[in-house]
Each structure stands twice: as structure tokens, then as C-alpha cells.
Amino acid sequence: MIATYLLVAAYAPLVLLIYLMVKPSGMVSSKALPLCALVAYLLVIFQGHSPLAVVHASVIQGALLALTPLSIIAGAIFLFLCMENTGALSTLKNGLNKISQNKVAQLMIVGWAFTFLIEGASGFGTPAAIAAPILFSLGFSPVKVALFCLVTNTIPVIFGAMGTPVWFGMSLLSLPEATITDIAKLAALISTLVAPVIVLLALRLVLPSWHAIFRHWLFILFSTFACTLPFLALSFFGVEFPSLLGGGIGLIVTVIMAKAGFGLSSTNDVETKSDAEHELAESPNYRALVKASFPLWGTVIILLLTRLPELGLRSLLQDGEPNITASLGILGNVSVSASLVISLADILETGIQWKHSVLYIPSLIPFIVVALASVYSFGTREFVSRVSSVSAQTAKRMTNPLFALLGALIFVNLMMLGGEQSAVSLIGRHMADLAGNNWPFFAPLLGALGSFFSGSATISNLTFAGIQYAIAEQLSLPLSVVLALQSVGAAMGNMVCINNIVAVTAILGLKGQDGVILKKAASVLAVYAIMVGILGSGLISAYR
């Protein structure tokens, strides 16, 4: 009886959240998430598994953790408003049309290959933040753009920023290097096999019919594999570079194919509100295009410079050695390092900690720095007025994501509180009991659940890899395959992650569309999960 109550209590906040957001006339995330966080808070207190001080420290930590996605969203909004204010977006639109006016080509260049590259360099939800506004500026529907970018930004998430979801996400298991390599290869193989279907489904969210897609099938297929085949090949040699180099190679190949018209029909099947504008616009010269696109290539270069460990900047920006320390009484001890790593230790005397790397989180560097440099390059006279105007617009757009993400991170912290008695662990074990020998179909869903909660494939792997390990031993399943399914699931959960949905809708200026986007993304996730489950079952049979 007690076990049943605990399970119902574990599921209750999650079921309530999904219901509130996807029901007809669904509640906006800025209201639904704080409400569900309150429900989770009351349930945790009522159950009494954790001391009150720990519960309240987790709430404080969750609220502080929200600074990471909020700062990224604010930086991305600031960057693209600067591009719009200076006319750089208009020039960039013309430049993309000079490569190809075909809308399928533009979607694959920006929303697939470029997104793949950015995910490999940064992660943190940066890809959709960069790609979605560009596609929107080309005249695509903002809701469709949001969905497209969320769905395509899944496959490269397996390795994420420099392989972090694998090498760090699996670190608590202390696995041999050979096992890590096996997990990486199998996860990349599964993703490469499902990628064409996922890309087609993503395109169908934007294009008016399947006919409009298959008219360009050769281009789409080659562009997809231009990213995923190098991604697969590189996974045999390490986990740091498959997404980064796969995206880079794929972007070059896709641009060359688009420029040559390879595999593209002469008929353009997508009507956008700015087609007439594109036809009349003068083609920019290359110097103007390089200047206008500086916020993009400048961002990529800085991300690479600050993420490659061999260059030393990464460790420098993450150096948390305190330079200034102060006691905040019972609230904890705050410290600030020379690299502006802010830490709050021993929150409410519970040992719970929080850390925020101001210079490493992709907000101030590179978004705001690059944006300011770009505005300055367009003229010093209007610099102050442009920056002031953009700052005011950015602050206005941040209202909804502020409440949504505060609710989301507090909700996540509370759902993960309590160790083996936490709601997340109870749900995971319940799924395992239900699945039994059908676990290959549930393993990726558990990974996706972790990303849905936490907004991070890395955290999903940290949270659920141990459960997956125990299930693999209990059911005598090949460990590498099960953990590969966990990795793929954590990546595919990126498309339904509340943090990412809130971020992309905020950047695009959408209001009240979070539930609509979640519902449509979940339908793609269902197809994704079935395909991954089938491939996982096949791999388990092959290993046996």
C-alpha cells in the first residue's frame, strides 16, 4: 500500500505537468511549471524522506541553477536582436538565398548541418538558439521553426559539447575505456541508422506535404549522411569530436551541394512570407556577407577556442579557485574566482552546493561579446542607442522564461531529491518492472525522461546510467547496448525538454505555444523511440 502511494506521488507532478501543457487551451509553461514545482514541494515535505533543510536547500539550488539557461537565452536574444537592428540579418538572408533559394536547402544548411556543428562545440541548448532565429528571418513560421530545430538537435546531442554526455555522463560507473568506446560506437550507429527518418519527420513539420519532401530526397539523404557518416566513423576513435567534426564536414558538403543544385528540384514547395522580398533583394557582396555573418562564425570560433581542452582556455575559464570569499550565514559561503566562477557552498548547512561559471557558460562569452563587437563594427555613432534599445527588448522578452525556468529547475531538483526514494528513481524502477525482457524499448524512454526533467543529456546519463547498469545485470542484457540505448534516449529527449522549448519560444518571441510544441515533438519522439527500440533489440540478439 505504501509502495503504491509512493509511486503515485512520484508520477503525480509529472502527469500534472504534461496534462496542463498539452490539454486544449493548455497552460503556458511560465504558470504550469511553477505550479507543478509547488505540488512536488508539498509532496516531498509530506513524505518526509528528506529533512526540511535539505528540501529548502534544493529549492534554492534549483532557483540558482536557472541562471544558466536564463543567461544563455538572454545572450542569444541579445545577439539576434543586434543582428536585426544593424541590418545584418537582412544581409544574411540575401546571402543564404544566393547560395540557394530552395527552402529545403536552407532548412538543411541552417537547421540540420549548422545545428549539428554548434551542438558539438557548445551544447547548452545553443544550437536552437542560433539556428531558429535565422530560419525565422528567412520567412518560415516561428512555431514550425521551433519544432524543426528541436527535432534535428537530437542526434548530435549523444556526444554533445566535446563528448561530455558520454565521458562525464557515464563517469560514475567507472567503466573500462573499451566499454566506453563500445557504448559510443553503438549509440552513433543507432543514431546514424535512424537519422534519415528523423530528418524527414522534422522536414514534414515545416513542409506542406510528403511530396514536397521527396521531390528533394537525394539532397536530403546526402546532406543527412554528410553529417552522420563522419560522426559514426569518428566515434571509433573517441567521443570528443564526432558531433563537432561531423557537423563541420556536413555543413561544407551541404553548402556545396546546395550551391550546385545537386538533388534539388527546381520547384520550391514552401511559401514564406518573405519570398517576394528575397526575389527583389540585391545579392550582397562577399565582404558585406562576411561582416553580416560575423556573429555566427565569430561565435563558432570562440566556442571552439574555449571548448578545446588542448588550448587551455577551457580550464582557465572554469578555474574555481576562490579569490574572494564571504559568509552569508546559514545561507552558505559564497566565493568568486579570478575567472568569475561564482560558488555557494553548504547551502542551509546541508552540504548542497551551486556553481556558475560566468565566462564559460555561452552567454557573456561568446553571445554578448560578439554582439557588441558586431554592433560597433556597423558604426560608433549609433552604438549606445542600438545597445540600449536591444537591451530593453531583451529584458522584456525574458519575463516568461524567467518564471518558466525557475519553476522547471526547482521542479527537477525536487523530483530528483531523496536518492533511491526520489520520484525519478521510483519512476525508473517502475518502468523496469513493467518492461522485463522488453527493456530495449523502454531503455531509451528512460534516457529521454531524464532529459525531459533535467534539460541535459549529461544529467540524464548521470542519473539513470546506474539504473540501466543494474537492469542490464538483472536481465542478463549486454551492458554496452543498454547504455548505448540510454545515451540515444537522453539525446532524443532533447526535443521534449521543457528548458529547450522555453528557450526557443522565448528567443522567437512566441507566447502560449509551449504546449503545442511539446505535443507535436512528443509524437516524433514516439516514432524515434520505437525505431531505437527495434534496433536495440536487434543489437542485443546479435551480441548474444
Side-chain angles (χ1 to χ4, degrees):
M1 184 68 180
I2 295 176
T4 303
Y5 159 73
L6 290 175
L7 192 59
V8 170
Y11 274 107
L14 176 61
V15 172
L16 177 63
L17 175 63
I18 295 171
Y19 168 73
L20 290 175
M21 292 192 65
V22 304
K23 69 183 179 71
S25 302
M27 186 180 290
V28 295
S29 59
S30 57
K31 294 181 179 178
L33 283 162
L35 177 59
C36 291
L38 176 60
V39 171
Y41 169 76
L42 294 173
L43 284 170
V44 167
I45 288 180
F46 182 75
Q47 289 165 4
H49 291 309
S50 301
L52 280 177
V54 172
V55 174
H56 292 133
S58 294
V59 170
I60 293 170
Q61 184 193 47
L64 291 172
L65 286 171
L67 285 175
T68 296
L70 284 169
S71 61
I72 294 169
I73 294 168
I77 291 173
F78 186 85
L79 176 71
F80 281 95
L81 287 176
C82 284
M83 290 181 69
E84 188 175 58
N85 192 285
T86 58
L89 265 184
S90 179
T91 304
L92 190 60
K93 285 191 292 183
N94 291 336
L96 282 167
N97 276 281
K98 189 175 181 182
I99 294 173
S100 175
Q101 290 194 16
N102 188 286
K103 300 305 174 188
V104 171
Q106 292 174 350
L107 286 166
M108 294 302 291
I109 290 170
V110 178
W112 167 247
F114 185 60
T115 293
F116 213 105
L117 168 65
I118 296 297
E119 178 61 39
S122 176
F124 284 106
T126 311
I130 292 179
I134 297 175
L135 291 173
F136 174 54
S137 73
L138 288 165
F140 292 98
S141 158
V143 174
K144 291 179 179 179
V145 157
L147 275 164
F148 182 78
C149 291
L150 286 166
V151 172
T152 55
N153 186 32
T154 49
I155 288 161
V157 174
I158 287 172
F159 297 107
M162 308 303 294
T164 305
V166 179
W167 67 261
F168 182 66
M170 301 286 178
S171 61
L172 297 181
L173 299 180
S174 301
L175 298 170
E177 190 64 32
T179 304
I180 292 289
T181 302
D182 263 355
I183 293 167
K185 290 189 294 186
L186 292 171
L189 174 63
I190 292 169
S191 298
T192 299
L193 292 173
V194 303
V197 178
I198 300 307
V199 170
L200 290 174
L201 290 173
L203 287 168
R204 184 62 184 90
L205 294 169
V206 181
L207 303 180
S209 66
W210 285 110
H211 178 69
I213 294 172
F214 290 122
R215 187 189 294 274
H216 311 283
W217 71 271
L218 193 60
F219 176 87
I220 294 167
L221 193 65
F222 271 69
S223 175
T224 301
F225 283 131
C227 290
T228 56
L229 289 181
F231 167 84
L232 175 59
L234 288 162
S235 71
F236 282 72
F237 301 98
V239 299
E240 289 87 358
F241 297 105
S243 294
L244 178 66
L245 295 183
I249 294 167
L251 181 61
I252 293 169
V253 172
T254 301
V255 168
I256 292 172
M257 290 194 303
K259 184 72 175 173
F262 173 81
L264 292 169
S265 168
S266 58
T267 303
N268 205 353
D269 299 281
V270 188
E271 293 183 6
T272 62
K273 61 186 179 184
S274 56
D275 278 342
E277 175 191 330
H278 292 155
E279 289 173 7
L280 295 173
E282 290 184 18
S283 297
N285 59 48
Y286 285 107
R287 184 175 179 179
L289 185 57
V290 168
K291 181 179 179 180
S293 62
F294 165 69
L296 304 181
W297 58 261
T299 294
V300 172
I301 289 173
I302 292 176
L303 285 172
L304 289 175
L305 291 175
T306 55
R307 265 58 185 172
L308 288 170
E310 293 79 5
L311 298 179
L313 287 175
R314 176 176 174 173
S315 57
L316 179 64
L317 295 179
Q318 291 182 306
D319 181 12
E321 186 65 32
N323 274 48
I324 302 172
T325 59
S327 173
L328 300 180
I330 192 172
L331 189 59
N333 302 310
V334 67
S335 65
V336 181
S337 74
S339 300
L340 294 185
V341 176
I342 304 171
S343 301
L344 183 61
D346 201 24
I347 301 173
L348 302 185
E349 299 178 347
T350 60
I352 291 176
Q353 302 182 39
W354 165 78
K355 184 172 71 173
H356 183 75
S357 303
V358 174
L359 300 181
Y360 184 75
I361 299 296
S363 177
L364 180 61
I365 300 175
F367 286 153
I368 292 177
V369 168
V370 169
L372 291 174
S374 177
V375 172
Y376 188 83
S377 73
F378 278 89
T380 56
R381 290 183 180 179
E382 299 179 42
F383 178 78
V384 174
S385 61
R386 279 174 168 165
V387 170
S388 298
S389 173
V390 167
S391 298
Q393 293 176 63
T394 301
K396 187 176 180 180
R397 282 206 194 179
M398 287 302 296
T399 306
N400 284 335
L402 171 64
F403 291 105
L405 288 169
L406 280 172
L409 272 298
I410 292 171
F411 174 74
V412 167
N413 258 24
L414 291 170
M415 292 291 283
M416 297 176 71
L417 187 64
E420 292 187 358
Q421 294 299 315
S422 70
V424 169
S425 294
L426 290 172
I427 292 170
R429 289 199 297 272
H430 182 242
M431 289 177 66
D433 291 339
L434 288 175
N437 289 324
N438 294 316
W439 186 244
F441 289 92
F442 283 78
L445 288 175
L446 185 58
L449 183 69
S451 295
F452 174 83
F453 275 127
S454 65
S456 165
T458 302
I459 293 178
S460 177
N461 289 342
L462 284 168
T463 304
F464 287 122
I467 294 175
Q468 299 272 20
Y469 188 110
I471 291 169
E473 286 192 332
Q474 181 182 335
L475 300 175
S476 300
L477 299 174
L479 178 62
S480 295
V481 177
V482 172
L483 292 180
L485 292 174
Q486 160 65 32
S487 292
V488 175
M492 75 184 187
N494 209 52
M495 73 173 76
V496 293
C497 161
I498 296 296
N499 293 8
N500 290 343
I501 292 174
V502 170
V504 76
T505 54
I507 291 162
L508 292 171
L510 292 169
K511 294 182 180 179
Q513 296 297 315
D514 310 68
V516 173
I517 290 172
L518 176 61
K519 190 188 302 183
K520 291 186 177 181
S523 64
V524 178
L525 178 72
V527 177
Y528 202 152
I530 291 169
M531 291 191 298
V532 171
I534 292 170
L535 290 170
S537 297
L539 286 171
I540 284 174
S541 298
Y543 266 65
R544 283 175 168 172

